[in-house]
Amino acid sequence: MTQVLTSEQVEVAADGAALYELSLEGRWGDGVPILAATDERILAMLAATPYAADHVIGALPPQYGVATVELAAVNAVMAGCEPAAFPFLLAAIEAILTPEWNAFGLTTTTSSVFPMLIVNGPSRDDLQIDYRAGCMGGAGGRGSMTIGRALALCLRNIGGQRAGETSRCVFGQPARLGMCFGEWEERSPWPSLARRRGFRAEQDVVTAHGGKGTFPMADINNDDPRDLLHLIAKSLAFPLSNMFLGGTGENGEVVLAINPIWADRFAAAFPAVESLQEYLWEHAWQPIDVWPAGNQEILRSKSRVDDDGRVSLVRRPDQIVPIVCGGLGSLHAIALPSFGESQMQSAAVDRGTG
Amino acid sequence: MNVDDVEAAVEEMGALLRLDGAELTVLEANPKTARIEVALDMTGVECEDCVMPPEMLEQMISDAVARRVRGEFELVLRDPRRGGVPS
């Protein structure tokens, strides 16, 4: 396919520092050095997809800029993506543009929330999408570091998201520079996240979760799976979670990243992931008297308090989403708390090969 | 994880154990799971106390593997002295 590029062009000296300065001045960078989006590099991105440069993926909030494949490719190049990773960016955009993901709400809110990308499928190693030690930061795989960053640049440069302006975020979070990691499917005793969401094992799949941050949990004192899961469930249900703020608790998922050692331990007690989710759900609550009177009134008005005075974090077990990743050091789990009014979305990576 | 490197590391320890009549065998070395499973066979051992204790043996195998293999791995030692003998 012959591609015709139509993006606005700027001239800059062939010097990385000059381009970096220009990106800061023009506010189309993210504060970190970028690569030059030359025609040659953009065309290499386009060659990795079945789409024409002017194919419209959708309108990206908050300002609803039209995201064409060419504009996505420009941002992918700037982020440092390799062409083989570009279809993962397109899948991520497709996922966050699903209405139930609530992209406008998530890109404009005061919350720190941002798309966190979880990748399943056979290309994780080839693209250096981290799923082992340091997968949520520090491992430094190219795929992990650039796919998430490319999505963040798309939201900035196509969607017009700017902290303190179109985005009213109070703090933001490190993941706003981009967050993308894989699931260690080979070490998971349960079906992968993508399989549970209806995809085939041979498909590469990107799942976008509107995550508020990384919430660390640790235990060195107890090896019993039920005891550990009880403590995890109680930790997930922290009183100032968004899930208790004002909604009904029917929307949104809390992702629970479990290290492979703990996953083996939990699977001995809960061979089916559904039974694990059920157990977590049964314990992810707080007594109503944890909250002061004013908060109690709101929770009661939302029918969040059951007959035993318990306030459950979420309405259904499937809203607690376990995944397996991380290093073999054991001892730790990470939760990715939900924004609440956003439902996780997945999209298969489309390379046009059927 | 390179399987040949794992085999070589285990053989390094196996050579020492063989002097006492024991054998070390790699049951699994899977790069996809980073799991290494090694079995100790003591059927030819006449002096059980001459073979180093399971915890120490596991640590020494782990150290030998770590010297040759890049990245994290999980070592499982099947040692008849603490049960879990592979079938």
Side-chain angles (χ1 to χ4, degrees):
Chain A
M1 183 189 313
T2 303
Q3 301 277 15
V4 179
L5 303 181
T6 59
S7 298
E8 179 190 348
Q9 299 202 336
V10 292
E11 295 253 344
V12 60
D15 167 33
L19 176 65
Y20 180 36
E21 292 295 335
L22 190 64
S23 75
L24 296 175
E25 189 183 314
R27 302 180 74 211
W28 36 268
D30 52 11
V32 179
I34 58 173
L35 292 185
T38 61
D39 286 3
E40 184 184 18
R41 288 172 177 161
I42 296 167
L43 290 169
M45 290 287 171
L46 296 174
T49 82
Y51 302 109
D54 61 356
H55 176 81
V56 174
I57 312 164
L60 274 179
Q63 295 189 312
Y64 291 105
V66 175
T68 61
V69 172
E70 177 180 342
L71 285 176
V74 169
N75 286 282
V77 171
M78 292 197 301
C81 281
E82 60 179 313
F86 183 49
F88 288 71
L89 172 63
L90 299 184
I93 295 173
E94 179 187 337
I96 69 167
L97 286 179
T98 307
E100 289 78 12
W101 198 81
N102 187 15
F104 181 78
L106 270 66
T107 54
T108 56
T109 176
T110 53
S111 172
S112 58
V113 65
F114 205 69
M116 296 177 165
L117 306 179
I118 305 166
V119 176
N120 286 106
S123 299
R124 287 162 296 143
D125 285 318
D126 289 346
L127 294 179
Q128 295 177 41
I129 293 168
D130 301 315
Y131 56 85
R132 301 190 186 194
C135 62
M136 293 189 192
R142 181 175 179 178
S144 277
M145 298 306 291
T146 59
I147 296 170
R149 186 188 183 199
L151 181 61
L153 284 173
C154 285
L155 285 169
R156 167 183 291 271
N157 292 324
I158 305 173
Q161 187 185 34
R162 295 280 194 284
E165 298 173 27
T166 54
S167 163
R168 305 304 294 171
C169 70
V170 175
F171 288 107
Q173 59 163 309
R176 287 200 171 208
L177 195 60
M179 182 166 176
C180 174
F181 63 95
E183 186 174 12
W184 196 344
E185 300 170 13
E186 297 81 0
R187 284 302 301 254
S188 177
W190 307 293
S192 74
L193 175 63
R195 293 295 299 278
R196 303 200 306 264
R197 294 178 65 79
F199 296 91
R200 301 187 307 276
E202 67 270 23
Q203 286 180 295
D204 285 310
V205 176
V206 178
T207 297
H209 168 61
K212 290 199 61 176
T214 53
F215 183 103
M217 292 168 277
D219 185 89
I220 57 172
N221 301 315
N222 197 322
D223 289 341
D224 181 86
R226 284 181 170 78
D227 286 352
L228 271 175
L229 285 164
H230 171 85
L231 290 169
I232 287 173
K234 289 300 180 200
S235 301
L236 296 179
F238 60 96
L240 290 181
S241 163
N242 263 41
M243 303 305 289
F244 294 126
L245 274 187
T248 60
E250 290 172 351
N251 275 329
E253 301 86 0
V254 179
V255 173
L256 174 63
I258 303 170
N259 75 70
I261 306 298
W262 276 12
D264 288 343
R265 197 169 295 164
F266 296 160
F270 300 99
V273 72
E274 293 82 5
S275 62
L276 176 79
Q277 291 172 296
E278 184 82 25
Y279 185 86
L280 285 164
W281 178 73
E282 284 171 0
H283 294 82
W285 57 269
Q286 296 293 347
I288 183 65
D289 58 12
V290 159
W291 286 273
N295 300 69
Q296 288 187 22
E297 193 177 325
I298 291 168
L299 289 165
R300 289 187 199 284
S301 74
K302 299 280 184 185
S303 303
R304 296 296 304 273
V305 190
D306 72 11
D307 294 342
D308 298 318
R310 298 172 173 183
V311 187
S312 290
L313 177 69
V314 288
R315 292 282 188 180
R316 304 180 311 278
D318 66 278
Q319 290 175 274
I320 301 176
V321 181
I323 58 172
V324 177
C325 56
L328 298 170
S330 187
L331 310 178
H332 303 272
I334 293 272
L336 307 177
S338 175
F339 175 67
E341 299 308 313
S342 171
Q343 292 175 15
M344 171 185 278
Q345 299 297 323
S346 302
V349 172
D350 180 7
R351 298 184 183 85
T353 54
Chain B
M1 179 198 295
N2 183 305
V3 178
D4 290 341
D5 289 341
V6 174
E7 296 271 7
V10 172
E11 173 53 26
E12 189 181 304
M13 292 305 305
L16 297 176
L17 293 171
R18 214 167 288 130
L19 300 173
D20 293 316
E23 284 289 341
L24 269 186
T25 312
V26 177
L27 299 177
E28 181 190 9
N30 187 338
K32 287 285 185 187
T33 60
R35 185 180 278 136
I36 299 168
E37 194 171 338
V38 177
L40 175 68
D41 181 353
M42 294 186 62
T43 50
V45 173
E46 290 182 0
C47 167
E48 269 203 25
D49 290 342
C50 299
V51 179
M52 66 182 82
E55 289 73 24
M56 186 186 295
L57 176 60
E58 188 170 68
Q59 187 59 54
M60 291 187 72
I61 298 170
S62 184
D63 291 346
V65 173
R67 284 194 293 273
R68 295 169 183 261
V69 170
R70 193 175 153 204
E72 276 193 314
F73 59 87
E74 181 187 8
L75 177 70
V76 178
L77 173 63
R78 302 295 182 195
D79 188 318
R81 294 169 293 179
R82 60 183 185 189
V85 185
S87 56

